Amino acid sequence: MLISNRVKQLNPYVPGEQPKDRVYIKLNANENPYPPAPSVQKAVMDFVQNHPEKLGLYPDPDSLELHAAIADMLNKCGGVLCRAKCEGGEVKPADEDKIPFTVTPDMIYTGNGSDEVLSFVFYAFFDSSKKFVMPQFTYSFYPVYAGYYNIPMDQVPLKEDWSLDVDEMLARAGKNEGGIIFANPNAPTSLGLTRDEVRQMIKKASPDEIFIVDEAYVDFGGESCIPLLAEFKNLVIVRTFSKSLCGAGQRLGYIVANPELVNIVTTVKNSVNHFPIDAVAQVSGTAACRDVAYYAETSRKVAQTRDEFYNFLREKGFYVLKSQTNFLFARHPAIPGDELYQKIKQQGLLIRHFATKGIEDFVRITIGTPEQMAELKKAFEEVLK
Ligand SMILES: *Cc1c(COP(=O)(O)O)cnc(C)c1O
């Protein structure tokens, strides 16, 4: 009776395991296998050594320097790191990724990981009186927030090829009037819609409903929807430092949206936690954004390793989705997903299995370094013998 009814109804997110008992090669949480750029390590060391007094003071509540650095990074890479061109120390977007306007700092809002950002975005734009629409299989934190804020949801099954059923999502959004959210590329399927497909989708959706695209993985080969912000006032793009910016440990996520929407999320933030980004994360995040070339290179390496491992899995008889992310979603005709996960674990590597009905045959494999993937290949060879 000490506990509120609200808490009794909570259904918290279960992250990929982080075991402490044994050292595994960890390919289960879509973390980046590469360390942050040397320039980021140096910036953090300098800050702690030369400005220890700042650890005793509150950080900038508005993270202004960080927001400027994020905007600058997006303008330089076009929002897709793995395709950014690095010429003579300068970074430029690939032609297809060019943003037809300049992203400005007032279009950025940052939070303590994009999980927190998503929580505030849910609170800001979804309502408990209307169902919002999302795919049946997508980032499993969305239903958790729906439960937390008591927002009803309408989950739309994927098509047979595991892609989003765009028409059905629009039909339901039209009926519910509560907004739309999905990850693009989607998780755990790894498949993405093109920017033009999303454009057609938003055009048909109501301009009075919020349209949220979670681009956690877009840097590894998807198409960013940032250029669409010039056309649509109801679009919110959510992004993170955890995957392509090698920064899951520093907890930084952000949105890119028109300033009016940024202000609304900021109001929510200031009603919960004035200082979500600590001083060290502001320093490390800013330094990361200023080293676009390093992260363009690491994102390219991850994408290349992924495509090689995709071929390996196919050769081994797996059904594998054609990934635009830093993970592969695959199933083997002869071994159930949970058994595969267990057997790989016995070999000293962690991959992810979801017990969720409908995708229980699959495993999700995070792309590591070529050396880690060579170990995983050995483990698969052993298990499939
Ligand atoms: C990893 C992930 C996030 C969360 O990232 P954090 O910034 O680490 O909280 C958000 N959305 C999707 C789809 C993800 O896969």
Side-chain angles (χ1 to χ4, degrees):
M1 39 30 179
L2 271 176
I3 309 164
S4 73
N5 284 326
R6 271 197 308 270
V7 170
K8 284 182 203 151
Q9 280 158 25
L10 288 181
N11 198 0
Y13 179 75
V14 183
E17 60 194 308
Q18 310 276 356
K20 311 232 167 6
D21 57 324
R22 166 176 174 187
V23 181
Y24 290 94
I25 295 181
K26 232 181 134 287
L27 303 171
N28 68 336
N30 294 347
E31 292 143 317
N32 199 302
Y34 296 103
S39 58
V40 171
Q41 301 175 34
K42 185 169 178 303
V44 172
M45 296 290 282
D46 283 353
F47 178 76
V48 175
Q49 255 164 15
N50 300 329
H51 299 285
E53 78 287 353
K54 288 199 180 167
L55 292 175
L57 304 173
Y58 285 110
D60 173 9
D62 300 313
S63 305
L64 289 178
E65 205 180 356
L66 176 60
H67 290 192
I70 292 171
D72 205 41
M73 170 188 67
L74 294 173
N75 291 319
K76 279 189 179 141
C77 73
V80 184
L81 280 166
C82 81
R83 275 195 298 270
K85 296 185 282 193
C86 309
E87 292 156 356
E90 250 198 82
V91 184
K92 289 194 185 132
D95 291 341
E96 66 263 44
D97 297 322
K98 271 188 193 139
I99 302 172
F101 56 88
T102 302
V103 179
T104 49
D106 60 354
M107 299 174 69
I108 309 295
Y109 164 88
T110 45
N112 186 250
S114 63
D115 287 340
E116 187 200 65
V117 170
L118 282 163
S119 151
F120 293 162
V121 164
F122 268 60
Y123 190 87
F125 302 114
F126 290 153
D127 230 300
S128 54
S129 61
K130 291 172 184 169
K131 283 187 195 169
F132 74 93
V133 169
M134 67 174 191
Q136 181 184 4
F137 299 116
T138 187
Y139 187 38
S140 39
F141 227 124
Y142 306 155
V144 175
Y145 287 137
Y148 184 75
Y149 292 122
N150 202 10
I151 308 164
M153 53 187 175
D154 193 352
Q155 294 176 281
V156 178
L158 298 180
K159 293 203 285 199
E160 221 155 84
D161 63 359
W162 302 96
S163 65
L164 300 194
D165 191 340
V166 167
D167 293 335
E168 183 61 21
M169 285 176 70
L170 282 172
R172 302 234 199 140
K175 208 173 72 198
N176 301 331
E177 299 176 343
I180 290 185
I181 186 169
F182 57 92
N184 191 45
N186 196 20
T189 62
S190 78
L191 303 176
L193 297 174
T194 65
R195 175 160 56 246
D196 206 50
E197 285 172 314
V198 180
R199 176 188 277 115
Q200 298 312 327
M201 207 175 164
I202 310 181
K203 260 190 188 167
K204 289 180 194 157
S206 159
D208 299 328
E209 284 182 48
I210 201 75
F211 200 106
I212 304 164
V213 180
D214 183 342
E215 294 192 340
Y217 298 105
V218 75
D219 279 318
F220 300 104
E223 289 188 17
S224 174
C225 289
I226 292 173
L228 302 182
L229 289 169
E231 297 165 55
F232 304 106
K233 299 283 175 225
N234 57 333
L235 172 62
V236 175
I237 295 167
V238 182
R239 301 176 55 115
T240 177
F241 280 61
S242 295
K243 315 292 165 48
S244 54
L245 292 173
C246 310
Q250 70 191 348
R251 308 308 301 132
L252 275 176
Y254 59 101
I255 70 171
V256 196
N258 281 289
E260 305 85 81
L261 301 188
V262 166
N263 287 339
I264 294 168
V265 182
T266 305
T267 301
V268 176
K269 184 252 315 180
N270 287 339
S271 312
V272 180
N273 178 4
H274 216 90
F275 304 103
I277 318 287
D278 70 76
V280 180
Q282 291 195 29
V283 167
S284 64
T286 302
C289 293
R290 289 179 181 158
D291 204 339
V292 189
Y294 175 87
Y295 296 99
E297 179 62 25
T298 46
S299 298
R300 249 194 300 282
K301 283 200 276 191
V302 168
Q304 194 185 344
T305 309
R306 170 197 68 208
D307 292 342
E308 285 164 16
F309 205 77
Y310 171 88
N311 291 333
F312 167 80
L313 289 175
R314 295 270 306 242
E315 280 161 24
K316 289 286 152 200
F318 279 86
Y319 169 76
V320 199
L321 299 185
K322 193 81 187 85
S323 170
Q324 297 183 323
T325 63
N326 68 340
F327 61 87
L328 289 164
F329 198 52
R331 73 173 173 227
H332 196 276
I335 310 181
D338 55 346
E339 188 183 327
L340 192 56
Y341 153 78
Q342 285 297 349
K343 288 190 164 158
I344 295 293
K345 185 171 179 180
Q346 284 159 16
Q347 305 279 324
L349 298 103
L350 292 177
I351 57 175
R352 188 96 191 256
H353 171 254
F354 299 92
T356 318
K357 199 170 157 10
I359 54 171
E360 70 272 32
D361 293 344
F362 283 84
V363 289
R364 191 196 69 185
I365 302 162
T366 302
I367 302 304
T369 60
E371 295 73 29
Q372 291 175 323
M373 299 318 277
E375 290 300 315
L376 186 58
K377 276 185 192 172
K378 272 194 241 161
F380 272 122
E381 306 270 13
E382 189 62 32
V383 169
L384 295 170
K385 239 189 343 221

